[in-house]
């Protein structure tokens, strides 16, 4: 027995060295894979949880992402891959293993399940490199940017799709992503968000799709009708020629999206597809709904939509626009619960929530953006030790704010962001209204585990409810009421935000102290 220890140790050290060289950093298992829960059709068919409960791995290269997949115990072992930095052809290589099936020049999620890819820190950008999901299930992609993926020219990746799914794919949630190109098919680009060959139970939420000839399709041809149960909500489609989306067969639920500058056509329901289209805002666009470029009809149920400066073509053999006065020609029953924002507020709420690096904010269903809810405490944790210090006691040590910088939302006249880190209780920052946010930031990652909010004289007790947010990732570190000392698990970050969500008077924050211990 003792003789086998050294070989195992050497093997472990060799694996660790390989992971470090390829950009993989391992951490302990965590309770959840990504912020929030899957919505829409991705919440059906057993739900979409990604890598929840699995090991968390930090990756800074495409090769590191593949390495993380390939070093799992099996192809279904849950894993959360936190990505930071730029992923491109130069740092994305094939990695082999029993739990993966990867390739050069593309992020390959093939023949696997139970995976989350989430952008963290300063952000994750997949530059000219697509994400390919094939024969896979239970996948979450959140808070990343994928840009300029080409199918022709150089370099090419993923058939020109930013995110592409095909061949028996089930339960995918893509949330708070930015997908963009720099032109259409003639410039070498294809779709931003494509599904084909039996892909089902997918949700695209709070995302931006822009500057492309093609937004995305469901079904590769009129005969590929095995796809469906797709939800699109709270997305921005901007400067897209067509396919927002193109639906061939199947069912789609399209609600609370903002469409701007659709140049040729928009939601193209054809080949028997049925789309429920609720409370969207269509603006400065052409032929935003109908059956186009085919004689094989599709269908739609419409309600609550706003058509702002939308033009419509005349009906023809291969063109059947729904407008100028869109009416329902089918009915679509939705099996999950959801809350509709009024179409009139969709441009505003989508602009504040959609896309990567927006803090994973979502609408509350009443046109008001909200930060993610704080993570519930682990119910298996033991009761606190009664000898532990009172968490409301003022923290001790070095006030890290003094060496940082500060910014925030609109400030009241005569106040300054710098006043919250000057050590002077007679000066303060105040929002322009009854709510607002102020942040402390540093040029490099800094570990913070507590803050102390101190109100100015004459305003003590004015602050009502609040959230403490990791501004790098959008994660809520703590929430509560009343200005005081606030503790939370030690977190390495570059920017931490104190967000006042209610007050009984004008808030005045004299000092926003931050501490490591």
């Amino acid at each position: 027995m003792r003789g086998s220890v050294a070989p195992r140790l050497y093997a472990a050290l060799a694996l660790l060295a390989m992971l470090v060289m390829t950009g993989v950093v391992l951490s302990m298992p965590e309770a959840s894979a990504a912020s929030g829960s899957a919505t829409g059709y991705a919440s059906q068919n057993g739900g979409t949880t990604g890598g929840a409960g699995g090991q968390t791995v930090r990756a800074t290269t495409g090769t590191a992402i593949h390495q993380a997949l390939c070093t799992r115990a099996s192809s279904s072992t849950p894993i959360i891959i936190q990505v930071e930095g730029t992923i491109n052809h130069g740092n994305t290589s094939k990695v082999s293993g029993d739990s993966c099936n990867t390739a050069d020049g593309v992020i390959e999620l093939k023949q696997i399940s139970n995976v989350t890819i989430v952008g963290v820190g300063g952000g994750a950008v997949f530059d000219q490199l697509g994400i390919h999901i094939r024969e896979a299930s239970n996948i979450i992609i959140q808070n990343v940017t994928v840009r300029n993926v080409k199918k022709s020219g150089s370099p090419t990746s993923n058939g020109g799709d930013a995110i592409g799914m095909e061949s028996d794919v089930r339960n995918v949630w893509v949330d708070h992503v930015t997908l963009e190109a720099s032109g259409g098919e003639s410039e070498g680009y294809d779709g931003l968000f494509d599904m084909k060959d039996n892909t089902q139970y997918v949700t695209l939420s709070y995302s931006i799709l822009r500057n492309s000839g093609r937004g995305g399709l469901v079904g590769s041809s009129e005969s590929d009708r095995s796809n469906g149960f797709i939800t699109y909500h709270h997305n921005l489609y901007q400067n897209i020629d067509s396919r927002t989306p193109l639906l061939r067969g199947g069912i789609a639920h399209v609600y609370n999206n903002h469409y701007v500058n659709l140049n040729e056509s928009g939601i193209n329901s054809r080949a028997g597809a049925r789309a429920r289209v609720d409370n969207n805002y269509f603006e400065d666009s052409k032929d935003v709904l109908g059956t186009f470029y085919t004689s094989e009809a599709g269908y739609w149920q419409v309600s609550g939509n706003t058509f702002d400066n939308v033009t419509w073509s005349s009906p023809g053999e291969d063109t059947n626009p729904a407008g100028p006065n869109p009416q329902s020609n089918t009915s679509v029953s939705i099996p999950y619960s959801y809350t509709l924002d009024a179409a009139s507020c969709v441009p505003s709420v989508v602009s504040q929530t959609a896309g990567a690096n927006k803090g994973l904010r979502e609408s509350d269903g009443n046109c008001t953006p909200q930060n993610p809810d704080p993570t519930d405490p682990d119910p298996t944790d033991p009761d606190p030790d009664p000898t532990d210090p009172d968490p409301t006691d003022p923290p001790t040590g070095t006030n890290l704010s003094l060496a940082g910088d500060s910014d925030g939302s609109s400030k009241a006249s005569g106040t300054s962001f710098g006043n919250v880190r000057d050590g002077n209780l007679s000066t303060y920052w105040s929002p322009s209204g009854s709510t607002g946010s102020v942040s402390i930031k540093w040029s490099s990652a800094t570990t913070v585990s507590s803050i102390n909010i101190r109100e100015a004289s004459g305003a003590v007790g004015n602050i009502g409810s609040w959230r403490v947010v990791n501004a790098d990732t959008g994660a809520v570190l703590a929430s509560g009421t009343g200005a005081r000392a606030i503790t939370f698990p030690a977190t390495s970050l570059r920017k931490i935000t104190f967000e006042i969500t209610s007050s009984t008077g004008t808030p005045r924050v004299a000092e926003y102290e931050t501490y490591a211990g």
Side-chain angles (χ1 to χ4, degrees):
M1 291 293 290
R2 295 182 62 182
S4 65
V5 172
R8 289 202 304 270
L9 176 61
Y10 296 148
L13 292 173
L15 174 61
L16 178 60
M18 177 180 66
L19 295 176
V20 171
M21 291 176 63
T22 55
V24 177
V25 179
L26 301 181
S27 62
M28 295 301 292
E30 296 186 357
S32 62
S35 178
S37 300
T39 55
Y41 275 113
S43 68
Q44 304 296 289
N45 191 43
T48 304
T49 57
Q55 185 181 47
T56 297
V57 175
R58 181 70 66 97
T60 58
T61 68
T63 304
I65 294 173
H66 286 162
Q67 190 70 54
L69 296 171
C70 295
T71 53
R72 294 178 298 159
S74 73
S75 61
S76 62
T77 301
I79 189 169
I80 305 157
I81 305 175
Q82 297 179 336
V83 182
E84 183 174 17
T86 299
I87 311 301
N88 54 35
H89 284 260
N91 63 31
T92 302
S93 300
K94 174 183 174 67
V95 177
S96 298
D98 293 337
S99 60
C100 65
N101 190 344
T102 69
D104 291 331
V106 62
I107 298 302
E108 193 78 292
L109 307 181
K110 182 177 180 181
Q111 297 168 343
I112 62 173
S113 60
N114 308 326
V115 173
T116 291
I117 293 178
V118 56
V120 298
V125 177
F126 294 79
D127 185 30
Q128 304 183 75
L129 196 80
I131 299 175
H132 186 207
I133 304 171
R134 183 183 178 94
E135 300 172 65
S137 64
N138 196 24
I139 306 294
I140 294 175
I141 300 174
Q142 191 174 54
N143 200 41
V144 303
T145 295
V146 187
R147 67 188 184 195
N148 294 332
V149 181
K150 286 189 172 185
K151 68 175 183 178
S152 63
S154 180
T156 61
S157 178
N158 196 29
D161 296 337
I163 296 178
M165 291 161 268
E166 62 179 311
S167 299
D168 304 321
V169 173
R170 293 290 185 276
N171 289 86
V172 177
W173 180 35
V174 178
D175 177 66
H176 284 92
V177 304
T178 298
L179 308 178
E180 55 192 4
S182 297
E185 188 175 19
S186 61
E187 287 79 29
Y189 306 99
D190 197 7
L192 295 177
F193 193 69
D194 279 11
M195 288 160 273
K196 53 191 177 183
D197 191 15
N198 196 24
T199 294
Q200 298 181 2
Y201 298 102
V202 176
T203 295
L204 175 67
S205 57
Y206 295 99
S207 294
I208 295 173
L209 297 86
R210 63 188 173 201
N211 302 333
S212 176
R214 296 169 171 175
L217 59 75
V218 180
S220 59
S221 68
E222 307 297 72
S223 61
D224 181 14
R225 304 189 187 192
S226 58
N227 311 279
F229 307 115
I230 317 297
T231 300
Y232 305 82
H233 74 89
H234 292 93
N235 304 299
L236 170 65
Y237 286 83
Q238 183 176 34
N239 189 28
I240 304 286
D241 289 341
S242 62
R243 302 186 179 185
T244 66
L246 164 60
L247 305 168
R248 291 176 167 123
I251 292 175
H253 188 197
V254 184
Y255 73 91
N256 283 153
N257 301 288
H258 186 201
Y259 298 89
V260 187
N261 299 125
L262 305 186
N263 303 314
E264 297 175 9
S265 62
I267 302 169
N268 186 354
S269 178
R270 55 198 262 190
R274 295 190 297 138
R276 180 157 174 169
V277 183
D278 298 326
N279 289 34
N280 300 281
Y281 196 102
F282 300 93
E283 181 178 3
D284 299 335
S285 297
K286 176 185 177 183
D287 287 343
V288 298
L289 174 64
T291 296
F292 306 104
Y293 324 121
T294 183
S295 59
E296 297 195 39
Y299 308 94
W300 46 84
Q301 177 182 344
V302 294
S303 67
N305 300 288
T306 294
F307 301 93
D308 180 1
N309 191 32
V310 171
T311 60
W312 301 92
S313 299
S314 299
E317 182 179 356
D318 293 333
T319 301
N320 180 29
N325 182 27
Q327 300 293 315
S328 300
N329 56 19
T330 191
S331 62
V332 180
S333 177
I334 301 301
Y336 50 82
S337 61
Y338 61 100
T339 303
L340 289 172
D341 288 311
S344 59
C345 77
V346 163
S348 175
V349 75
V350 167
S351 71
Q352 297 177 72
T353 57
N357 306 314
K358 286 288 186 70
L360 301 178
R361 304 185 84 195
E362 300 180 351
S363 174
D364 64 354
N366 292 300
C367 301
T368 305
Q370 302 289 318
N371 285 316
D373 290 333
T375 302
D376 291 332
D378 185 351
T380 64
D381 283 347
D383 292 334
D385 187 333
T387 64
D388 287 345
D390 186 336
T392 62
D393 286 346
T396 58
T398 301
N399 176 11
L400 304 173
S401 299
L402 298 176
D405 200 354
S406 50
D407 63 21
S409 60
S410 297
K411 57 183 182 293
S413 177
T415 71
S416 169
F417 298 127
N419 289 341
V420 302
R421 54 181 177 81
D422 61 0
N424 184 350
L425 288 173
S426 65
T427 63
Y428 58 86
W429 165 85
S430 187
S432 59
S434 60
T435 62
S437 60
V438 63
S439 303
I440 302 296
K441 56 186 179 179
W442 299 271
S443 59
S444 59
T446 300
T447 297
V448 180
S449 64
S450 61
I451 69 173
N452 191 22
I453 301 298
R454 306 178 71 179
E455 293 174 289
S457 176
V460 175
N462 284 2
I463 293 176
S465 58
W466 47 260
R467 301 170 187 261
V468 180
V469 180
N470 178 347
D472 296 348
T473 65
V476 177
L477 303 176
S479 62
T481 58
R484 55 182 172 84
I486 304 162
T487 61
F488 42 84
T491 305
S492 178
L493 41 72
R494 292 188 179 93
K495 184 175 179 179
I496 185 168
T497 298
F498 181 72
E499 180 180 320
I500 302 168
T501 56
S502 72
S503 65
T504 56
T506 302
R508 295 179 180 178
V509 179
E511 291 301 304
Y512 178 179
E513 302 169 351
T514 53
Y515 296 89

